[in-house]
């Protein structure tokens, strides 16, 4: 399970202060030292950990007194709130364009789960929000990617716009939006090309697609199993494209948690969804608060 090691360590650490009727400065220091090590071991960004510990210490040592909680419980509350804030605080909603269709551009490196997530997101929008999305196959470099999206479209009984591998991705995106307007689709989700690494050619193409489609959301799909790499990838995509949010995939695996905890703090962009498996219904809205509670028990 994801975060298992981190959850174990943090829960053991906070357990030690939980019942305390009096928490001394030395107790807080001891606890934050252990929390710091646990976060670093879970591959959380070094600077993120440093700032987090500083905030927890400040708040826990000079903490506001609340009658309903023991001092130990108050310290735990501080850790939980700060962890939730680190991951984005409140859950953020998906955009809705004033004039339909709402355009969502899916970007990311190959293998991160972009195509699968395109299908999952469409499925979620239809199920939860009663939307009528159209999918767009704009990854023309990998014929398999188009087939994969078409297969997902069939499984979902949802239209997939494609012009094959010969067309230009920018033209595909433009024509897809026209078609969506004609056919009254309220969401257009564009599956763009991925590469093994961030490169200039890819970014140029994505910037061109962004320019012609003026997307309401640009979601970067990253694999949570890749830890700090995922954070670095998010930083470069954000610099080039000004992404609006992140979808973290493979949180059903045994990821240590570093990416989930660092991405918002490093890039300033929220994690909007979490991939929890390979199936089309295994995508969930990401709730920082619930995630923090899950980690801290
Ligand atoms: P793309 O190259 O980024 O388009 O990646 P794909 O959508 O082809 O996904 C790559 C692999 O990751 C596929 O085998 C997917 O089934 C798998 N995958 C995607 N999302 C998840 C997830 O949330 N959990 C798990 N376990 N596997 C996933």
């Amino acid at each position: 399970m994801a975060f298992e090691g981190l959850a174990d360590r943090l829960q053991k650490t906070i357990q030690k202060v939980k019942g305390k009727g009096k928490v001394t400065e030395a107790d807080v220091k001891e606890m934050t030292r252990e929390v710091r090590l646990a976060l670093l071991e879970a591959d959380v960004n070094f600077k993120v950990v440093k700032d987090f510990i500083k905030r927890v210490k400040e708040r826990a040592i000079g903490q506001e007194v609340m009658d309903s909680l023991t001092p130990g419980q108050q310290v735990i509350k501080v850790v939980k709130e700060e962890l939730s804030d680190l991951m984005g605080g409140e859950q953020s909603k998906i955009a809705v364009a004033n004039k339909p269709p709402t355009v969502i551009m899916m970007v990311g490196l190959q293998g991160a789960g972009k195509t699968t997530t395109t299908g999952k997101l469409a499925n979620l929008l239809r199920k939860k929000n009663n939307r009528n999305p159209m999918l767009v196959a704009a990854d023309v470099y990998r014929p398999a990617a188009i087939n994969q999206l078409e297969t997902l479209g069939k499984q979902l009984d949802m239209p997939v716009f494609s012009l094959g591998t010969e067309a230009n991705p920018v033209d595909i995106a433009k024509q897809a939006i026209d078609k969506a307007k004609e056919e009254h689709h309220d969401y257009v989700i564009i599956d763009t090309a991925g590469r093994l690494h961030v490169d200039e050619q890819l970014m140029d193409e994505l910037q061109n697609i962004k320019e012609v489609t003026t997307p309401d959301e640009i979601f970067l799909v990253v694999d949570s199993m890749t830890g700090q790499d995922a954070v670095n990838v998010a930083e470069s995509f954000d610099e080039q494209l000004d992404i609006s949010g992140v979808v973290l995939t493979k949180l059903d695996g045994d990821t240590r948690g570093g990416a989930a905890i660092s991405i918002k703090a490093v890039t300033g962009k929220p994690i909007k969804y979490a991939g929890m498996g390979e199936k089309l219904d295994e995508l969930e809205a990401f709730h920082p608060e619930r995630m923090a509670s899950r980690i801290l028990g």
Side-chain angles (χ1 to χ4, degrees):
M1 195 196 88
F3 304 112
E4 203 162 22
L6 177 65
D8 267 2
R9 280 190 70 165
L10 289 183
Q11 285 172 26
K12 269 190 202 119
T13 301
I14 60 176
Q15 206 59 38
K16 288 186 203 157
V17 293
K18 198 169 187 176
K20 288 202 178 200
K22 185 172 182 316
V23 180
T24 64
E25 198 167 318
D27 289 333
V28 171
K29 282 195 176 138
E30 163 79 12
M31 179 198 71
T32 49
R33 201 175 57 83
E34 285 176 31
V35 170
R36 179 176 168 275
L37 288 175
L39 290 172
L40 288 174
E41 208 156 280
D43 203 21
V44 179
N45 176 286
F46 181 77
K47 173 145 194 320
V48 171
V49 175
K50 197 168 159 227
D51 293 346
F52 175 80
I53 294 298
K54 187 163 168 267
R55 281 195 306 276
V56 169
K57 251 191 207 160
E58 274 168 13
R59 284 189 60 195
I61 290 172
Q63 73 180 295
E64 59 280 16
V65 179
M66 286 173 64
D67 291 341
S68 56
L69 298 176
T70 66
Q73 284 168 333
Q74 286 180 36
V75 171
I76 291 166
K77 188 164 166 281
V78 168
V79 176
K80 214 176 246 184
E81 282 172 7
E82 289 293 338
L83 189 62
S84 167
D85 277 0
L86 200 57
M87 290 188 283
E90 281 199 16
Q91 194 238 337
S92 53
K93 294 245 168 355
I94 195 161
V96 184
N98 289 332
K99 224 171 117 222
T102 303
V103 177
I104 302 176
M105 211 177 135
M106 306 295 287
V107 301
L109 294 183
Q110 226 169 69
K114 188 167 40 57
T115 304
T116 315
T117 304
T118 302
K120 285 177 172 178
L121 181 61
N123 190 30
L124 193 69
L125 282 168
R126 181 170 63 187
K127 250 193 176 144
K128 285 249 153 81
N129 306 64
N130 219 3
R131 301 292 183 179
N132 172 27
M134 185 174 92
L135 307 177
V136 183
D139 181 358
V140 295
Y141 307 105
R142 254 192 340 133
I146 300 183
N147 296 340
Q148 193 187 342
L149 196 66
E150 282 174 341
T151 306
L152 291 175
K154 279 203 190 92
Q155 284 170 18
L156 291 167
D157 192 20
M158 217 176 257
V160 175
F161 185 90
S162 154
L163 295 176
T165 53
E166 297 302 313
N168 175 326
V170 175
D171 292 336
I172 297 174
K174 217 161 40 181
Q175 289 188 38
I177 293 175
D178 290 341
K179 178 100 170 170
K181 281 182 191 154
E182 256 170 57
E183 297 185 350
H184 305 290
H185 290 285
D186 46 12
Y187 273 80
V188 172
I189 311 180
I190 307 171
D191 184 26
T192 64
R195 298 272 158 84
L196 288 176
H197 305 282
V198 175
D199 71 41
E200 211 174 310
Q201 208 186 353
L202 172 67
M203 287 303 170
D204 280 350
E205 176 177 312
L206 296 176
Q207 275 161 352
N208 289 337
I209 298 179
K210 177 180 174 181
E211 209 163 290
V212 296
T213 62
T214 54
D216 301 282
E217 299 269 20
I218 302 179
F219 287 156
L220 171 69
V221 180
V222 290
D223 178 345
S224 64
M225 302 290 286
T226 60
Q228 284 312 297
D229 269 350
V231 181
N232 296 334
V233 166
E235 258 193 307
S236 16
F237 272 82
D238 191 39
E239 265 168 34
Q240 305 279 336
L241 289 169
D242 189 18
I243 59 171
S244 58
V246 174
V247 180
L248 208 52
T249 63
K250 308 181 195 180
L251 269 183
D252 51 308
D254 58 356
T255 169
R256 285 183 287 165
I261 296 171
S262 316
I263 275 184
K264 171 73 189 346
V266 172
T267 64
K269 300 301 163 71
I271 300 172
K272 297 232 182 179
Y273 296 94
M276 304 298 294
E278 295 193 78
K279 296 205 200 75
L280 282 170
D281 58 357
E282 290 177 314
L283 184 75
E284 294 173 7
F286 185 82
H287 296 279
E289 226 181 288
R290 275 187 225 162
M291 192 54 82
S293 295
R294 209 174 103 186
I295 295 171
L296 293 173

